[in-house]
Amino acid sequence: MAGLARYLLIRALLIIPTVLILYTLVFVIMRVIPGDPVQAALGTRYIPPEQLELLRERHGLNDPLYVQYFKYLAGVVRFDFGESLVIEGRRIADDIKERFPATLELTIASFIVSVGIGLATGILAAVKRGSKLDTTMRVYSIVAYTLFIPWLGSMLIMVFSLWLGLLPTHGRLDPRISLDHKTGLYVLDSILAQNWVALKDALAHLILPSLTLGIVLSGAYTRLVRANLSDALVSDFVRAYRARGVSERRILLHALRNSLIPVVTMMGLQMAILLGGAVLTETTFSWPGMGSYLLEKVEARDYTAVQGVVVFFSFMVGLISLVVDAIYALIDPRIRY
Amino acid sequence: MTLLRIEDLNIDYVTLRGRLRAVKSASLTLGGGEWLSIVGESGSGKSTLAMSIPGLLLPPGRITSGRIIFRGKDLTSMSGEELRRIRGSEIGVVFQDPLTSLDPLRTIGDQMAEAIMEHRSASSKREALEMASAALESVGIPGDRVKYYPHQLSGGQRQRVMIAMAVMLKPKLLIADEPTTALDVIVQANIMRLLKSLQQRMGMSVMLITHDIALAAEVSDRIAVMYAAEIVEEGPIDQVIENPLHPYTEALIKSTPDLWREKTLYTIPGNPPDLRSPPRGCRFHPRCHKAFEPCKAKEPRPTRLRGRTVACHLYG
Ligand SMILES: Nc1ncnc2c1ncn2[C@@H]1O[C@H](COP(=O)(O)OP(=O)(O)OP(=O)(O)O)[C@@H](O)[C@H]1O
Ligand SMILES: [Mg+2]
């Protein structure tokens, strides 16, 4: 395990430059965009020049660029992303604290759905390779992959909410239910508060968005698992397991583990993209997460908010890649030694 | 005492490109404690024949007819579960490539213990690991290597591990399919010596697949020569090497430097046939310098001759 700890430490250190590069990129891009951000945020409203100057001063936009660069970075490491250009006094970090849990909850739920469906269908297809079942799974994967999220979402809403009346159409929680938002993950919050009514309602709200997103994302897993697992199932070491009389059930587990590395890579990528906010899903289900937040802020031309979200996102990417590296090492001893 | 008797075995691979008979009408017997080597050019069906015994044919390979009698029971009519219980415990297998035959993600001890526990359901993981490390010692690898992952061992060591895995439950039959081909020369010799000493110590029978007839001559009791999916000659090793009956066996010996001390080595003209469309008559006749009229028209039938079997028109 000493090898594992050292490996993780090195990985963690390597992530710092990655994140710094991302941060710098975001910073530079935001500055080279033509036009004055304050003017842009105010749109067509007329503001006297003195007041504009005051606003610029207040957001540090008059400082030399390198001062801005380090000042902002110093804020970021303390989880401070500055103040909104549009809503006076509103801290971006507070917005993120409010919106990110919604995205995290949706991400976890749809991740479970997509990995669950993807693994099940992929394993079935690989084990029954060449059969009708295999063909069915492959067709599923292509169809799932090409589905348009708003379309699938509306279909599910039509069937389960409007027609069957089983599930809510939008939002995260019935406004009549009061719940203490400790973590902002409503499912977790209601369990912590032992509020079973809220739990049931939060789950009911979560089902359709996570199903929509999960199904669309599952198709890629089906294909990846099928391809890698069926290769592993005809590999030499599987034949050697068989030659020693190991049962087929256990052989399947070992083969699966050997085909997991590329799957974990994709999980990491998907996780990263999902945490940035699933815009289409969030807008379809009025889910108040990072995706819809970013959309709102772009529309409002809230320069600091957009910058804050993107920088926050690059930190998440760094974090996820560290987790992915850790999982690699747990799976494959050749990496940790 | 006969341990294994193969009777008129036919094995086909049916692919989109057509049906290929990789083993045709093969019959063989192997006595207890005996070492039989199967030699022949690449693609002659050696591996297919050997792997069909423990039920390890790769898809789409299928036994289409014939019987494989092992310790009095027909393996071809056994269920998958019955065969699984025989594999690893009564029949051990060593493959050609030790680099790819071990699961890279698990320690060799885990892989060995798992197989031990499949067959000895009473034993605990600890007992199984102890057995595994004893098995490693018996092939000349320190017992504490059970904790190692495959990538921490050299190619030769890995093949020793594969051998330990194949013999750890004291099988009656060990099938080794070109166990030294992937290794360098010095390691090859060590591995063969190890196999020979294990066979003598444990009294098991060995079926060795090799394309190296000189190697077979050193270690075997009997030899079977395959050509284009058929066993063309079979008999005690000394007799076959000294006095080959089949022209193909003769050609093989005359093209092997270690066996043929004359100045000029023989090279067999032409190439082995495509098994999808083998030549009519004797399959070897287009390359045979002793071929005469009947060879082109009629398939030779295996004939028994002074304790040997040969399929050639020269012998009735
Ligand atoms: N899985 C398979 N699918 C289709 N054809 C196969 C398969 N395995 C072997 N064959 C064919 O069966 C014939 C015999 O192959 P086999 O591997 O038994 O020969 P071999 O004597 O062991 O050769 P080598 O010395 O190269 O290992 C060859 O013509 C080969 O192309
Ligand atoms: Mg072979």
Side-chain angles (χ1 to χ4, degrees), chain B residues 13-284:
Chain B
Y13 292 103
V14 183
T15 63
L16 290 176
R17 292 175 53 214
R19 170 185 295 255
L20 178 155
R21 177 146 291 183
V23 171
K24 180 168 176 288
S25 313
S27 297
L28 267 183
T29 56
L30 178 58
E34 206 171 46
W35 184 308
L36 170 75
S37 293
I38 300 181
V39 300
E41 283 166 292
S42 185
S44 55
K46 306 180 296 291
S47 299
T48 304
L49 174 62
M51 290 308 155
S52 71
I53 299 167
L56 290 174
L57 283 176
L58 292 178
R62 232 170 55 80
I63 297 175
T64 47
S65 67
R67 303 203 297 165
I68 301 171
I69 314 288
F70 177 73
R71 304 182 82 191
K73 294 205 196 91
D74 184 5
L75 300 182
T76 62
S77 61
M78 275 191 184
S79 72
E81 180 57 22
E82 285 173 300
L83 258 180
R84 184 182 72 74
R85 270 192 240 122
I86 286 179
R87 284 198 295 265
S89 65
E90 293 182 50
I91 300 178
V93 184
V94 177
F95 296 92
Q96 176 169 341
D97 192 350
L99 296 186
T100 55
S101 295
L102 288 161
D103 186 339
L105 306 186
R106 302 174 68 214
T107 62
I108 57 179
D110 277 349
Q111 297 183 52
M112 294 174 89
E114 176 182 40
I116 292 170
M117 293 193 306
E118 287 279 5
H119 296 290
R120 308 257 191 284
S121 44
S123 57
S124 69
K125 176 87 188 264
R126 224 195 70 230
E127 288 166 335
L129 277 174
E130 270 163 24
M131 233 179 121
S133 83
L136 286 184
E137 303 265 359
S138 77
V139 298
I141 290 191
D144 65 354
R145 297 287 196 274
V146 286
K147 292 197 217 75
Y148 280 43
Y149 286 93
H151 73 272
Q152 295 171 301
L153 302 173
S154 72
Q157 285 175 316
R158 284 192 231 186
Q159 194 58 302
R160 282 173 189 269
V161 169
M162 293 308 295
I163 292 169
M165 285 177 167
V167 303
M168 64 189 173
L169 293 168
K170 313 251 177 319
K172 297 281 176 290
L173 170 64
L174 178 70
I175 297 172
D177 187 355
E178 313 221 20
T180 59
T181 311
L183 307 170
D184 66 56
V185 186
I186 297 169
V187 182
Q188 279 185 13
N190 290 336
I191 295 283
M192 284 316 298
R193 218 169 294 135
L194 170 67
L195 283 174
K196 190 72 204 171
S197 84
L198 284 171
Q199 181 222 3
Q200 284 164 346
R201 217 184 315 156
M202 301 172 48
M204 63 185 174
S205 305
V206 172
M207 181 182 279
L208 172 74
I209 312 300
T210 176
H211 53 254
D212 185 347
I213 194 169
L215 178 90
E218 278 178 48
V219 289
S220 318
D221 302 311
R222 305 178 68 83
I223 186 170
V225 180
M226 283 191 83
Y227 182 78
E230 295 177 327
I231 297 174
V232 294
E233 177 162 9
E234 194 273 333
I237 187 80
D238 300 339
Q239 294 179 32
V240 172
I241 300 285
E242 244 153 63
N243 176 25
L245 296 176
H246 198 286
Y248 177 63
T249 315
E250 186 189 345
L252 267 188
I253 292 169
K254 285 191 176 172
S255 57
T256 307
D258 288 339
L259 296 177
W260 192 244
R261 306 273 176 215
E262 309 285 316
K263 269 203 218 86
T264 50
L265 273 182
Y266 185 72
T267 42
I268 311 174
N271 290 307
D274 179 0
L275 291 180
R276 281 185 188 81
S277 52
R280 270 169 49 78
C282 171
R283 293 182 167 197
F284 187 56

Side-chain angles (χ1 to χ4, degrees), chain A residues 13-31:
Chain A
L13 291 176
L14 282 176
I15 286 191
I16 295 172
T18 315
V19 170
L20 271 181
I21 289 169
L22 278 175
Y23 165 74
T24 311
L25 256 165
V26 174
F27 186 87
V28 170
I29 289 172
M30 295 304 281
R31 308 297 131 156

